[in-house]
Amino acid sequence: MLLQTTTNTLIDLSQKTDGSQDRAAFAKDVAEGLSQRPKKLSSRYFYDANGSRLFQQIMSLPEYYLTRAEYSLLQQHRAAMVEAFAAGGFFHLVDLGAGDAMKTKLLLGELTKKGKDFDYVPLDISGAAMRELSRDLQQTYPEIYVQAVVAEYITGLQWLGQHLPKRKVVLFLGSNIGNFERQEGQKFIRQIRQHLQPGDLFLLGVDLTKDPATILAAYNDASGVTAAFNLNLLERINRELGGNFDLDAFSHFPLYDPQEGVMHSFLVSEREQEVYLEATQARYTFAAWEAIHTESSHKYTLQQATDMGRTAGFEFVTSYLDEKGGFADMLFKAV
Ligand SMILES: C[S@@+](CC[C@H](N)C(=O)[O-])C[C@H]1O[C@@H](n2cnc3c(N)ncnc32)[C@H](O)[C@@H]1O
């Protein structure tokens, strides 16, 4: 931490001047996904301004235990975490997929209170989220130097490897790892390791396997916010790619597979229909009850998560659990 007030910086690696590249990539992914059998859309496109707002609502739903569990474990263990982070002197605190950093702020508060020497590097694909967070932290913690990075994870990791010379503590919270297919998740953690030096730390937030009914309810809330969040993907396609999805003709369908430990979200076409996208100048047909896969959320046992870290080149240090034992933040050290 720098003792004087600092001016935060924003590094935009999304390489767009007018959003055209982003739109082209979005259009290409949507066209590919809707032409595939079975159909698929990437969960990375959930988070436009409306999607981020809906996700904030999801986080406070009674059924959505994930955020509360991780928040409470951070409250309970933040003092121990901060001591573990700061044991080697100055460090860059890197927050992958930081979003609004609601939970990370618990750590920022503790680090500041204890006078630890660090700077904060939140990284997110959402430019709006990073601009907002940077402004917010300038007000709340003017003494913390914040370099917010707008980038896709891999581009961001490359930048971090090249531009952050000191020791790093990398956070990947919120069970974001669950959105990767298992093999992809393993590969991603290996990529994180490749951009770190021996001794750097990695804190991984993992939603643990538990009663399937509890998991299913978290993605199928009674008030319909998760359904609105899922459907917002089609609304975003309509708005940004000139689509004509009829939102009333699609419904949210969640499914938990307790053997694979994975929660799936689908959007189901309630009738036979055709959708046109101006951006691709193409039509996509849907049979009645044909589904689009929009999200996977993999759950892990502590052993599976430990093995994943070890296979990627980390040593397991410890796990911090919430009181119910349903969520873990697992600390690893690069070897
Ligand atoms: C579920 S939110 C989690 C926010 C926060 N870390 C937490 O635990 O509450 C996921 C965040 O990851 C970001 N994200 C998703 N895919 C990404 C990608 N491929 N590259 C960079 N950021 C991404 C989203 O924009 C969003 O802010």
Side-chain angles (χ1 to χ4, degrees), residues 43-44 47 52 55 59 64 67 70 95-104 123-126 129 151-154 173-176 179:
S43 60
R44 81 163 63 163
Y47 299 93
S52 300
F55 188 71
M59 290 196 292
Y64 197 78
T67 310
E70 197 174 35
D95 194 357
L96 296 178
D100 66 357
M102 196 252 279
K103 285 168 288 173
T104 310
L123 184 151
D124 204 289
I125 201 169
S126 164
E152 209 281 324
Y153 294 135
I154 302 300
L173 304 182
S175 180
N176 273 3
N179 291 139

Side-chain angles (χ1 to χ4, degrees), residues 155-225:
T155 316
L157 281 169
Q158 281 161 356
W159 183 90
L160 300 175
Q162 290 160 3
H163 292 86
L164 300 185
K166 303 268 177 57
R167 201 168 64 84
K168 294 181 210 36
V169 176
V170 175
L171 310 177
F172 194 42
L173 304 182
S175 180
N176 273 3
I177 189 66
N179 291 139
F180 290 83
E181 295 305 318
R182 286 194 201 274
Q183 276 194 354
E184 292 299 309
Q186 176 70 70
K187 196 171 134 198
F188 183 63
I189 292 184
R190 194 183 285 279
Q191 281 171 315
I192 293 178
R193 171 63 192 89
Q194 281 164 356
H195 293 285
L196 299 181
Q197 297 300 320
D200 287 348
L201 296 177
F202 175 48
L203 188 72
L204 177 67
V206 188
D207 189 21
L208 301 172
T209 47
K210 58 178 68 60
D211 182 349
T214 306
I215 295 176
L216 182 61
Y219 296 82
N220 197 24
D221 65 282
S223 52
V225 185

Side-chain angles (χ1 to χ4, degrees), residues 45-322:
Y45 295 113
F46 277 140
Y47 299 93
D48 64 345
N50 198 33
S52 300
R53 190 181 54 75
L54 286 164
F55 188 71
Q56 295 219 328
Q57 286 180 34
I58 288 175
M59 290 196 292
S60 51
L61 290 169
E63 296 95 334
Y64 197 78
Y65 61 83
L66 290 89
T67 310
R68 270 189 304 280
E70 197 174 35
Y71 193 89
S72 92
L73 85 79
L74 284 164
Q75 266 180 324
Q76 200 187 331
H77 299 291
R78 62 189 152 180
M81 287 181 179
V82 158
E83 290 311 319
F85 294 174
F90 177 88
F91 62 98
H92 302 288
L93 182 67
V94 177
D95 194 357
L96 296 178
D100 66 357
M102 196 252 279
K103 285 168 288 173
T104 310
K105 282 180 192 164
L106 287 172
L107 295 174
L108 296 179
E110 187 72 12
L111 286 162
T112 308
K113 195 172 95 189
K114 300 273 170 68
K116 302 296 185 193
D117 198 12
F118 74 106
D119 64 15
Y120 179 50
V121 188
L123 184 151
D124 204 289
I125 201 169
S126 164
M130 288 305 88
R131 276 186 290 277
E132 175 61 32
L133 179 61
S134 182
R135 260 195 309 270
D136 170 10
L137 292 176
Q138 184 81 66
Q139 300 287 323
T140 340
Y141 294 109
E143 64 274 53
I144 302 177
Y145 176 47
V146 179
Q147 298 185 75
V149 181
V150 182
E152 209 281 324
Y153 294 135
I154 302 300
T155 316
L157 281 169
Q158 281 161 356
W159 183 90
L160 300 175
Q162 290 160 3
H163 292 86
L164 300 185
K166 303 268 177 57
R167 201 168 64 84
K168 294 181 210 36
V169 176
V170 175
L171 310 177
F172 194 42
L173 304 182
S175 180
N176 273 3
I177 189 66
N179 291 139
F180 290 83
E181 295 305 318
R182 286 194 201 274
Q183 276 194 354
E184 292 299 309
Q186 176 70 70
K187 196 171 134 198
F188 183 63
I189 292 184
R190 194 183 285 279
Q191 281 171 315
I192 293 178
R193 171 63 192 89
Q194 281 164 356
H195 293 285
L196 299 181
Q197 297 300 320
D200 287 348
L201 296 177
F202 175 48
L203 188 72
L204 177 67
V206 188
D207 189 21
L208 301 172
T209 47
K210 58 178 68 60
D211 182 349
T214 306
I215 295 176
L216 182 61
Y219 296 82
N220 197 24
D221 65 282
S223 52
V225 185
T226 313
F229 177 71
N230 201 6
L231 282 161
N232 175 60
L233 199 48
L234 303 185
E235 209 170 318
R236 180 176 185 185
I237 294 173
N238 282 354
R239 202 172 41 246
E240 295 186 20
L241 304 180
N244 65 352
F245 274 104
D246 175 1
L247 267 61
D248 292 332
F250 285 86
S251 49
H252 168 63
F253 186 80
L255 179 76
Y256 182 65
D257 179 340
Q259 286 189 317
E260 295 294 326
V262 53
M263 183 69 222
H264 294 287
S265 293
F266 300 94
L267 286 166
V268 178
S269 170
E270 294 177 0
R271 54 176 161 79
E272 188 182 324
Q273 54 187 316
E274 200 174 73
V275 171
Y276 178 73
L277 292 196
E278 274 169 23
T280 59
Q281 299 193 345
R283 290 178 196 285
Y284 306 90
T285 53
F286 290 82
W289 308 115
E290 186 177 356
I292 314 172
H293 184 274
T294 54
E295 188 176 30
S296 295
S297 192
H298 293 81
K299 310 302 169 189
Y300 285 89
T301 62
L302 278 174
Q303 189 59 52
Q304 285 171 330
T306 307
D307 290 347
M308 186 161 58
R310 285 192 176 136
T311 306
F314 289 101
E315 168 192 305
F316 170 69
V317 180
T318 191
S319 11
Y320 305 98
L321 291 165
D322 72 312

